[in-house]
Amino acid sequence: MIATAELHVHLEGTAPPELIGRIARRNGVELPAGMLAADGRFHYTNFLHFLDTYDLAASVIRTAEDYRDITYEYLASVAEDGGIYVELTASPDHAALVGLSDSEHYAGIAAGIDEARRDHGIEARILISGVRNFGVEAVERVARHAAQRPHPYVVGFALAGDERVAPGQFAQAFAIAADAGLCCTVHAGEWQGPDSIREALRLPVTRLDHGVRAIEDPTLVRELAERHITLNTCPTSNVVLGVFPSFADHPLPHLRAAGVRVTLGSDDPPYFGATLAGEYEVCREHFGWDDQHLREVTVAAIEAAFCDEPLRAALLARAHGPDPAARPSQEPAAN
Ligand code: HPA
Ligand code: ZN
């Protein structure tokens, strides 16, 4: 088994319908109408409808314990498939909408991280995310809160939501986050093309979430490679949402061949039928990547991670080291 690492996954978007149902029952709230299709999966017909369904599911997540459970269950599932590190993109706006304070929100996620480390040996950190369609002021508020309330697990600032709201409007929010020492990433180049990516690159970011439509402009691809910008790509999300018609049409192999640093992420796993290990398998099956290629993807993720240097060094040793699944068999035999 290859050691994997993930920089692009939305925390509320990791909870499958079964867990959302369990949390709703515990909180005594009805499942929102229209959230699920007849087959029990999340229901949406396009990206904007997906964002609405995501908001419906997030509306039943109410307590620190809910956030603990979602974090723990996701990290346990990733660790089971060889995952060693995850950066969880968390949205304080979604927590605030149900009346949860930032400190309870952080405490719930941190408890999930601590318990997953104890039980499954996986590490995780938090990226605080603004939602661009909630407006510039809301995103600046999120950045200010993150800047004013440092937390050891909060290492970065991200921007998600409807990409048609242009990234340049959020320059002030990114300046606030960057000035507070938070590393920054931004969704770009999924629904909008090269111009939007260029605008995003004027923000203080070292990574882009998606970024794959850079392929439409070879000069931009060269710039990404030269500036060592890491693209946190999510091939299954892209194909399910129709950004590209099939894996055969996905530009990931071309971006990688052009020297752009790329990582793999599941984005919103149960919505897209994705898992982190599954994204590695997609690359093996559709792009012909072998173990060496896939290990390089994990190393690229750890090199681009927003964690501290001692953790990065420990993760790099694990990524280069023996198969994570093989660790128990390296113990001396009992007799
Ligand atoms: N893309 C953009 N915004 C999001 C997503 C996503 O996949 N999930 C939650 N917010
Ligand atoms: Zn995303």
Side-chain angles (χ1 to χ4, degrees), residues 150-239:
H151 183 286
Y153 289 172
V154 173
V155 293
F157 180 71
L159 186 63
D162 182 357
E163 211 185 286
R164 291 174 308 177
V165 188
Q169 299 173 52
F170 301 95
Q172 181 62 18
F174 277 88
I176 292 166
D179 285 350
L182 294 170
C183 302
C184 296
T185 181
V186 57
H187 278 62
E190 178 189 22
W191 298 104
Q192 302 294 312
D195 288 348
S196 170
I197 296 175
R198 284 208 165 79
E199 192 174 319
L201 288 174
R202 288 196 281 274
L203 300 168
V205 297
T206 53
R207 315 193 313 215
L208 297 177
D209 293 310
H210 297 297
V212 282
R213 285 188 55 191
I215 199 68
E216 295 167 25
D217 181 340
T219 309
L220 179 58
V221 172
R222 265 197 306 279
E223 184 181 339
L224 292 173
E226 283 164 8
R227 286 178 58 175
H228 296 173
I229 299 289
T230 298
L231 304 189
N232 302 319
T233 72
C234 308
T236 298
S237 163
N238 292 159
V239 170

Side-chain angles (χ1 to χ4, degrees), residues 10-22:
H10 302 266
L11 180 58
E12 296 86 2
T14 66
E18 176 277 322
L19 177 55
I20 292 293
R22 226 187 312 146

Side-chain angles (χ1 to χ4, degrees), residues 269-305:
Y271 292 80
F272 306 137
T275 63
L276 176 59
E279 295 304 283
Y280 280 70
E281 284 312 306
V282 161
C283 293
R284 199 188 287 281
E285 186 179 330
H286 294 274
F287 308 147
W289 293 6
D290 60 15
D291 282 0
Q292 179 57 28
H293 281 58
L294 295 173
R295 215 170 268 120
E296 284 169 16
V297 170
T298 301
V299 168
I302 295 167
E303 286 177 345

Side-chain angles (χ1 to χ4, degrees), residues 6-10 87 89 187 209-210 232-234 265-267:
E6 178 169 55
L7 305 182
H8 185 170
V9 65
H10 302 266
E87 285 180 6
T89 299
H187 278 62
D209 293 310
H210 297 297
N232 302 319
T233 72
C234 308
S266 58
D267 216 3

Side-chain angles (χ1 to χ4, degrees), residues 10 47 50-51 54 160-161 187 190 267-268:
H10 302 266
F47 177 66
F50 155 76
L51 288 180
Y54 185 102
H187 278 62
E190 178 189 22
D267 216 3
D268 304 278

